[in-house]
Amino acid sequence: MDKLDAIFSPESIAVIGASSQKGKVGHDIFANILYGGFQGTLYPVNPKARSILSVKCYQTIAHILDPIDLAMIILPPRPALKAVEACIAKGVKGVVIVSAGFKEVGGEGLEMEREIQQLCQDADIRLVGPNCLGVINPAPGVSLNASFSNRMPKPGNISFISQSGALCTAVLDFAADQGFGFSKFISIGNKADVDELDLLRYYHADPNTDVVMIYMEELSCDAETFIREVREMTSGLNPTPVITIKSGTSDAGAAAAASHTGSLAGSDAVYDAIFSQSGIMRCNTVNELFDYAKALACKKVPRGDKIAIVTNAGGPGIIATDMSENSGLKLADFTEDTIQELHKYLPPTANFHNPVDVIGDAARDRYENTLATVISDPGVDSVLIILTPQSMTDAMGTAEAIVNIARSEVKPIVCAFMGVVDVSDGVHLLQQNHVPVYQFPESAARAMGALYANNRWLSRRRLPQYEMIHDVKKAQAIIDGYLEQGTDTLGELDGNEILKCYGFNTLEMALATHADGAADIARKIGFPVVMKIVSPQILHKSDAGGVKVGLDDEVAVKKAFDSIMKNARKYNAKAELEGVLVQKMVGGGKEVILGVTRHAGSGHVIMFGLGGIFVEVYKDVVFRMAPMGRNVVRRMVKAIKGYPILTGLRGESPSDIEALEKNLVSLSAMVKNHPEIKELDINPLFVHAGGEGTTVADIIITLAPPA
């Protein structure tokens, strides 16, 4: 038996802080449990009342003779602490603290929350809250509305988690309007104990939950553990789709960061990485959250990306086509047999190709025959049906026809019944029979795109991991040397030595302290060369005029040395100039950037994208969390918009993508082995033609002891 059963399916509840005064939270929660038809036994606890809503009241929980599964506490922090102590003495199995005034206000409230958290942990009691809406379980055998929302949702197969109690009440109201049912519904507030991962474990094991919706403000558990466990839940033999809306997406990141990665990797990029690696589908709006959940709850997935669109109006069909393509879908090409069959049912003015326009006067039979024909086409993976209300439109009859076909069809069908009043009967029939229906075609198309994205996640390839050997001891010795000296920025020579320990191909280079020395180095390593200023205070060398490329003789090298030193002094008169690095010039390849930045509480986030000087302009980058293996890296590389550049455009040879993938896996291992790495940029990394590997052209590494 799961300990959270005491929260979601208690046989007895004590409401501590129940009130006889209508409008108070303690009164309304008690009333909601009572009038919601709770199937267990309910006890109000209030030392100043004889009864509440005609139910006998108890002075303390100790005065209740029967065992108690769940205690709902609606008291200020200090009395709440005493109530928790009494609950533990009573042997209560679960506690929900609804009241506020704890961690979110700091001071004594934070201290009280920590004490309560420790008490519950020591007693092995699960705690929800404080500062939360409560918990709802509409299942007929439980019928629990232990919240201060007076709306009990109808039973369904979707469970909801929210950090925000206020949002919960709006979601419940919206769900009622949409004919939307829930299996479990909870607000977790401050997450003193029970958090998203606890609930995801519980929902994944719940036979009545097929889809999980989350409103998240921040993730409090360890990111690596969250990714590992949730990835198993969203994959495997019994996958549970998880859809999330994350607040705080406007975070612009750390503008003062030393690396490109640090300046681009705000907290929102971290969450994108966590969700992507966990198999969680991210939404931008609450509307999308519901749209995707409705489609996923029907448990039908498209085998491929080919969609057929059936409409009785041209404009909405075009909108649906555009949004389908934007959502990763493609219009299916019908077979000749399908087109000939459509000619039997449609008037000559109809469009017999995809999207199929059945014309505005289409009645039930025309929709029914058209849907049956196109969904039988072997090249069609899913169907989107659009109905606009016109004087001859039979919304109810068309809905009946769709329901009949959907019952026996494995391919997913989504509908857009446009309008409100004229199509309402048909919409309600579709909702009752679990056919996803939306008010506008773009919502329906996005939802079908979400179904296809979920199928791609479930059917993703799993390749064997790369086996690589790294010189961890040598790299750690270099890092320790810098930290012992109190230096937080590695020079490029030592930075390249660390990269060599992890299998990166670096260029021959040496430091010159005068122009003649630079010419000698260039002659030894071979022309052409690149020259770069070396200074702990000048990290972005190009900004300081501290880089010269393509130098192919000694005269050019000497001239470049003097110019670089002059530019550097002008850029930062206080900078310590150690000299100029002379480096063999890379012989061609595509420029990409690999980067790392360490986030407090989340760990190291790794960045990959198109590199060079324009990385912060185009920002064609993606982020993933370390550790990551071959399969995560493979999808990461494919995720940038510029990926076709690496596969070869206009007759160019494909780049050595496998070598690039190995570099990213090694980079992940590096930051896990050496958590002192705070930020890192390899920019650019040149990716050569297939089989020719990669070459590091520039490296920045900054260090800081891990917190």
Side-chain angles (χ1 to χ4, degrees):
M1 183 175 178
D2 195 294
K3 289 186 174 63
L4 289 181
D5 286 339
I7 306 292
F8 285 105
S9 302
E11 294 183 3
S12 56
I13 303 174
V15 180
I16 304 175
S19 172
S20 56
Q21 186 176 339
K22 191 174 182 179
K24 284 199 169 184
V25 174
H27 175 278
D28 291 355
I29 286 181
F30 182 81
N32 289 340
I33 299 172
L34 181 67
Y35 296 142
F38 176 54
Q39 297 297 292
T41 309
L42 181 61
Y43 303 90
V45 176
N46 185 330
K48 298 180 181 179
R50 291 184 58 191
S51 66
I52 296 176
L53 295 175
S54 301
V55 180
K56 178 186 174 183
C57 206
Y58 294 82
Q59 284 193 331
T60 68
I61 194 171
H63 286 81
I64 302 171
L65 299 180
D66 298 324
I68 299 296
D69 287 341
L70 174 63
M72 299 289 302
I73 298 177
I74 309 102
L75 295 170
R78 191 164 289 282
L81 174 61
K82 294 186 179 298
V84 168
E85 291 172 342
C87 288
I88 292 170
K90 176 66 178 174
V92 167
K93 297 175 183 175
V95 172
V96 176
I97 302 179
V98 174
S99 41
F102 291 87
K103 179 176 70 175
E104 74 279 8
V105 299
E108 186 183 40
L110 174 60
E111 292 178 18
M112 295 295 102
E113 181 171 321
R114 286 174 175 167
E115 285 191 49
I116 290 170
Q117 179 185 35
Q118 191 62 53
L119 284 170
C120 289
Q121 183 178 321
D122 293 344
D124 201 20
I125 291 174
R126 298 315 306 261
L127 166 68
V128 174
N131 187 28
C132 68
L133 176 94
V135 58
I136 300 174
N137 182 351
V142 180
S143 194
L144 172 64
N145 180 10
S147 76
F148 55 82
S149 170
N150 58 10
R151 187 181 293 280
M152 169 74 89
K154 70 177 188 178
N157 61 343
I158 298 167
S159 288
F160 186 74
I161 305 167
S162 177
Q163 271 187 259
S164 166
L167 180 71
C168 287
T169 57
V171 165
L172 288 168
D173 188 60
F174 185 79
D177 180 66
Q178 295 279 307
F180 207 85
F182 290 100
S183 172
K184 311 287 188 296
F185 193 103
I186 193 167
S187 160
I188 49 179
N190 292 0
K191 299 188 287 186
D193 174 30
V194 174
D195 60 18
E196 293 92 350
L197 185 54
D198 293 314
L199 291 166
L200 283 169
R201 293 186 189 112
Y202 185 77
Y203 289 164
H204 180 61
D206 177 22
N208 298 316
T209 297
D210 293 324
V211 180
V212 179
M213 301 163 61
I214 305 177
Y215 167 77
M216 184 184 295
E217 292 174 359
E218 62 175 350
L219 186 66
S220 54
C221 58
D222 172 65
E224 184 177 341
T225 302
F226 183 87
I227 290 169
R228 184 180 64 253
E229 292 201 30
V230 177
R231 184 169 54 224
E232 291 302 312
M233 299 176 201
T234 59
S235 309
L237 298 176
N238 180 36
T240 302
V242 180
I243 320 160
T244 299
I245 181 169
K246 165 70 177 67
S247 64
T249 60
S250 60
D251 187 344
S259 66
H260 291 294
T261 309
S263 65
L264 291 171
S267 64
D268 197 51
V270 173
Y271 280 99
D272 264 342
I274 291 170
F275 296 151
S276 175
Q277 288 168 255
S278 305
I280 292 176
M281 196 172 299
R282 185 169 186 176
C283 301
N284 296 313
T285 66
V286 175
N287 269 328
E288 281 185 13
L289 196 68
F290 277 90
D291 288 348
Y292 295 176
K294 279 192 285 188
L296 288 162
C298 295
K299 297 191 287 188
K300 293 182 180 180
V301 294
R303 294 171 299 178
D305 59 356
K306 303 299 189 294
I307 187 171
I309 298 171
V310 178
T311 179
N312 67 344
I318 294 170
I319 293 172
T321 299
D322 290 343
M323 185 53 69
S324 295
E325 292 179 351
N326 290 338
S327 302
L329 304 173
K330 298 174 184 175
L331 285 186
D333 292 323
F334 296 150
T335 64
E336 284 301 318
D337 288 343
T338 297
I339 294 170
Q340 288 179 17
E341 189 71 13
L342 289 174
H343 273 280
K344 297 178 182 179
Y345 310 118
L346 299 180
T349 52
N351 181 39
F352 301 93
H353 297 274
N354 202 6
V356 181
D357 189 345
V358 296
I359 308 303
D361 62 352
R364 167 182 175 150
D365 61 334
R366 200 181 293 172
Y367 266 105
E368 186 169 16
N369 292 327
T370 301
L371 173 57
T373 300
V374 300
I375 206 167
S376 299
D377 189 302
V380 171
D381 300 308
S382 59
V383 180
L384 192 166
I385 300 170
I386 302 170
L387 181 145
T388 61
Q390 301 180 36
S391 59
M392 64 291 292
T393 302
D394 180 7
M396 188 64 174
T398 301
E400 289 174 351
I402 294 168
V403 167
N404 290 337
I405 293 173
R407 280 176 182 153
S408 59
E409 183 55 59
V410 296
K411 296 178 182 179
I413 300 170
V414 297
C415 303
F417 274 36
M418 300 178 69
V420 179
V421 177
D422 293 340
V423 298
S424 59
D425 290 342
V427 167
H428 292 150
L429 182 68
L430 292 168
Q431 289 173 342
Q432 290 164 11
N433 288 276
H434 310 293
V435 177
V437 57
Y438 305 91
Q439 193 170 4
F440 298 108
E442 52 267 43
S443 298
R446 272 196 300 262
M448 189 63 82
L451 283 180
Y452 176 59
N454 185 59
N455 187 50
R456 279 188 298 155
W457 169 255
L458 293 174
S459 58
R460 67 195 186 278
R461 291 182 65 192
R462 293 171 175 83
L463 299 172
Q465 296 298 329
Y466 292 125
E467 294 184 9
M468 291 177 284
I469 298 173
H470 304 129
D471 193 342
V472 179
K473 288 185 178 179
K474 182 178 178 181
Q476 189 63 50
I478 296 171
I479 290 170
D480 289 344
Y482 272 81
L483 292 175
E484 287 168 7
Q485 296 170 18
T487 307
D488 62 1
T489 303
L490 266 72
E492 191 163 353
L493 284 166
D494 286 330
N496 274 282
E497 286 302 310
I498 290 177
L499 293 182
K500 286 180 186 178
C501 295
Y502 283 85
F504 285 84
N505 179 44
T506 61
L507 295 165
E508 189 177 352
M509 65 183 72
L511 181 67
T513 55
H514 51 80
D516 289 339
D520 290 341
I521 293 168
R523 186 173 58 253
K524 289 175 184 176
I525 65 177
F527 294 101
V529 297
V530 176
M531 297 175 66
K532 294 180 279 189
I533 189 66
V534 177
S535 169
Q537 291 77 37
I538 303 176
L539 298 181
H540 297 296
K541 306 171 185 69
S542 295
D543 295 347
V547 179
K548 300 290 183 182
V549 302
L551 306 169
D552 52 12
D553 59 45
E554 293 184 32
V555 173
V557 167
K558 292 179 180 180
K559 184 177 179 182
F561 181 94
D562 293 337
S563 176
I564 288 171
M565 294 295 283
K566 180 180 178 182
N567 291 342
R569 291 190 188 96
K570 184 177 180 181
Y571 180 77
N572 184 348
K574 296 181 179 180
E576 178 189 351
L577 306 183
E578 297 177 4
V580 175
L581 195 69
V582 184
Q583 183 182 60
K584 182 73 177 176
M585 189 165 175
V586 181
K590 300 295 187 294
E591 294 186 28
V592 300
I593 181 172
L594 277 57
V596 175
T597 187
R598 191 177 67 206
H599 272 253
S602 300
H604 285 94
V605 59
I606 296 178
M607 183 178 83
F608 165 72
L610 294 182
I613 61 173
F614 299 117
V615 61
E616 291 195 58
V617 177
Y618 298 125
K619 297 180 181 178
D620 185 14
V621 295
V622 292
F623 298 88
R624 297 292 183 266
M625 302 300 299
M628 57 186 196
R630 180 183 186 181
N631 293 294
V632 172
V633 161
R634 185 169 173 268
R635 291 189 293 275
M636 182 184 191
V637 171
K638 289 184 175 181
I640 64 168
K641 296 182 181 71
Y643 177 67
I645 294 173
L646 298 174
T647 60
L649 291 174
R650 298 183 179 179
E652 289 187 342
S653 299
S655 301
D656 196 339
I657 295 174
E658 184 174 4
L660 171 61
E661 291 174 353
K662 289 180 178 179
N663 285 161
L664 280 162
V665 171
S666 293
L667 187 59
S668 171
M670 182 192 303
V671 297
K672 290 305 292 183
N673 291 335
H674 312 291
E676 303 89 347
I677 294 175
K678 181 184 178 184
E679 290 183 23
L680 177 152
D681 265 3
I682 302 171
N683 182 36
L685 175 76
F686 284 89
V687 187
H688 307 299
E692 297 180 10
T694 64
T695 304
V696 176
D698 197 33
I699 174 72
I700 294 174
I701 299 178
T702 60
L703 305 172

